[in-house]
Amino acid sequence: MSATLSEVTQDADTTTRPGLREGAFGNARALSCRECGHEVELGPFYACPECFGPLEVAYGERAVSREEIEAGPRNIWRYKALLPVPTDIESSPNTEPGFTRLLRAHNLGRELGIETLWVKDDSTNPTNSFKDRVVACALSAARELHAKVFACPSTGNLANAVAAAGARAGIKTVVFIPADLEKPKQVNSAVYTDSLVAVNGSYDDVNRLASEIAGEEDGWAFVNVNVRPYYAEGSKTLGFEIAEQLGWRLPDQIVIPVASGSQLTKVHKAFQELIALGLVEDKPYRVFGAQAAGCSPVSTAYKAGVDAIRPVKPDTIAKSLAIGNPADGIYVLDICRQTGGAVEDVTDDEVRAGILLLARNEGIFTETAGGTTTAVLKKLVETGQLDPSLETVIINTGMGLKTLDAVADQVGAAATIDPSYTAFAATGIA
Ligand SMILES: Cc1ncc(COP(=O)(O)O)c(C=O)c1O
Ligand SMILES: [Zn+2]
């Protein structure tokens, strides 16, 4: 690449960036500041040169029909016209995530008194979390920008996804995690890369370190730092899929876990894009955010009725959601307030109970993030914030096998017996 990946930004008044092939970012036209609307050219930029606000992908004219999407592959590339990726994206090795199940949750709905409840189960992605979606888009950007290293600071799942996608793409990966992360999440990265770096500190410390490295090293694509605008667009595919799987319509209510808040803002953006493109009917829907009480800067601001988010020092078993200074927190507040939703939080005990609630009712083993979402759903119904008569979707973003310890003490063999019928009969299980 002709310019360093660590440049902060560049104005949009130049023509195509040297070294960038035509159509490298599909229908994307520029990067636009979420705060002041200033535009910069497509490149490894993430902060506005005018106001330091976050940049996001802006598109040119787009027209795509339901039929064209339905004829596409059964992964996120069926929505490639709506993503910052080239039209030949399917020919590059990637993890091809997406098109996960949308399950009608009859039992959980009955248990909580919700008439129509669905679970979007993203635990079945290639590395078992929704992060495969964002990483697939980040990998495309990294490739187009000729990055030498594919990297991230992570609360765990992102590191798994980056390490695996980089291995498939044959690009060097370096992933940074807090040293106290759950062992399965460490192993799930280390199997794919020999450059897992455990940092003595919180995720927010790891994130700061990553920004520093991005500024020092040439050619590093940090998926959620200097290619964040492209990366974040990947979460839109959750919203696209939910609408398509509901038969091209939007749900009335949706509950989404919040760490940085990126996913929630992008699901909302996806719904807005589908409306604007005429792919679904325009209708009101409410967006709810879910946090763990031990790291709830967004729900705290929501409940206090303030706009500013005060960073916190996380202390929760929901480590994948343990971001104390959420980059997109203020946008989450806006969206939840504007749509008539809410942001709620639950204790670690409720998170554990949430994991079991989903497992015992729907046969889905979620990680602590999904336990948080399920427990928040329950609390929203109990406190009257969510309308149980309206069609509701929750997103299960991760897999329980990665956070076994959260429930390992609460479940286990009901009995340990000798291999005889008498011994079994004595247990009273029959
Ligand atoms: C399983 C899981 N769910 C949800 C999230 C929250 O995502 P976001 O940072 O986009 O809010 C994360 C983030 O790491 C995660 O790992
Ligand atoms: Zn700006």
Side-chain angles (χ1 to χ4, degrees):
M1 193 174 127
S2 55
T4 159
L5 263 168
S6 55
E7 274 175 86
V8 176
T9 193
Q10 182 153 331
D11 281 321
D13 50 12
T14 49
T15 45
T16 307
R17 191 176 175 74
L20 209 57
R21 70 177 172 128
E22 191 70 34
F25 297 102
N27 291 322
R29 177 177 56 75
L31 295 174
S32 154
C33 174
R34 245 143 94 179
E35 290 298 320
C36 74
H38 182 77
E39 291 196 349
V40 303
E41 65 161 329
L42 294 165
F45 313 124
Y46 59 104
C48 173
E50 298 293 319
C51 74
F52 294 104
L55 297 174
E56 79 172 336
V57 175
Y59 296 88
E61 272 301 302
R62 291 178 296 173
V64 63
S65 67
R66 291 177 180 177
E67 292 69 29
E68 281 165 325
I69 290 171
E70 285 164 359
R74 290 182 67 80
N75 58 52
I76 63 169
W77 303 140
R78 70 203 276 111
Y79 307 107
K80 67 184 175 185
L82 309 176
L83 296 170
V85 299
T87 49
D88 62 357
I89 183 68
E90 291 116 300
S91 61
S92 315
N94 211 313
T95 58
E96 287 87 35
F99 226 72
T100 56
R101 301 176 304 170
L102 179 73
L103 295 160
R104 179 72 196 272
H106 290 283
N107 299 332
L108 184 60
R110 204 173 306 120
E111 178 78 22
L112 299 179
I114 301 170
E115 258 168 54
T116 315
L117 179 64
W118 302 86
V119 178
K120 176 63 173 167
D121 185 15
D122 241 25
S123 67
T124 57
N125 273 316
T127 69
N128 305 105
S129 88
F130 88 98
K131 293 289 185 183
D132 291 312
R133 298 175 182 273
V134 278
V135 167
C137 291
L139 177 59
S140 175
R143 196 182 263 130
E144 298 300 336
L145 292 164
H146 314 293
K148 293 183 302 212
V149 181
F150 196 48
C152 68
S154 170
T155 58
N157 285 310
L158 182 59
N160 299 170
V162 164
R168 277 205 37 86
I171 178 172
K172 179 180 168 63
T173 56
V174 184
V175 298
F176 298 85
I177 54 161
D180 70 351
L181 203 61
E182 299 99 335
K183 189 79 180 165
K185 282 193 182 144
Q186 300 202 27
V187 175
N188 266 299
S189 288
V191 289
Y192 304 117
T193 180
D194 58 7
S195 300
L196 167 70
V197 182
V199 180
N200 293 317
S202 67
Y203 170 79
D204 299 283
D205 297 323
V206 181
N207 194 29
R208 265 192 303 276
L209 171 64
S211 298
E212 201 182 325
I213 298 171
E216 293 289 331
E217 298 290 334
D218 197 12
W220 283 49
F222 274 95
V223 302
N224 49 346
V225 182
N226 53 354
V227 292
R228 187 176 180 85
Y230 311 97
Y231 152 95
E233 289 288 290
S235 280
K236 289 193 310 192
T237 60
L238 269 164
F240 295 151
E241 286 177 21
I242 289 167
E244 182 179 349
Q245 290 169 321
L246 284 174
W248 293 109
R249 58 186 181 79
L250 303 180
D252 300 318
Q253 304 178 118
I254 185 159
V255 187
I256 306 171
V258 172
S260 74
S262 175
Q263 178 188 183
L264 185 145
T265 63
K266 292 297 175 169
V267 169
H268 173 65
K269 186 179 181 191
F271 288 174
Q272 292 300 307
E273 287 188 2
L274 292 178
I275 293 170
L277 289 161
L279 292 170
V280 298
E281 209 172 288
D282 192 358
K283 61 167 274 224
Y285 56 87
R286 300 178 183 164
V287 183
F288 296 85
Q291 296 210 293
C295 182
S296 52
V298 188
S299 70
T300 302
Y302 174 81
K303 289 174 186 178
V306 297
D307 293 332
I309 298 208
R310 187 179 300 169
V312 299
K313 208 171 170 349
D315 180 15
T316 170
I317 58 164
K319 291 182 193 290
S320 55
L321 301 182
I323 297 184
N325 189 9
D328 293 301
I330 51 170
Y331 304 112
V332 169
L333 280 179
D334 271 359
I335 291 166
C336 293
R337 284 180 176 143
Q338 273 171 25
T339 62
V343 192
E344 188 52 275
D345 57 88
V346 286
T347 65
D348 282 359
D349 279 346
E350 289 173 300
V351 172
R352 292 187 190 94
I355 293 175
L356 295 181
L357 191 63
L358 187 60
R360 301 243 157 138
N361 281 292
E362 297 301 340
I364 298 171
F365 187 17
T366 184
E367 71 145 81
T368 46
T372 303
T373 309
T374 309
V376 162
L377 172 72
K378 180 169 185 280
K379 189 166 175 180
L380 289 169
V381 176
E382 287 168 356
T383 53
Q385 297 178 85
L386 184 134
D387 186 339
S389 70
L390 297 180
E391 183 168 53
T392 304
V393 174
I394 64 171
I395 303 182
N396 172 32
T397 50
M399 155 64 80
L401 292 172
K402 293 192 193 182
T403 61
L404 269 183
D405 283 352
V407 287
D409 292 342
Q410 299 184 7
V411 293
T416 304
I417 57 168
D418 288 332
S420 76
Y421 179 73
T422 336
F424 173 65
T427 65
I429 287 173

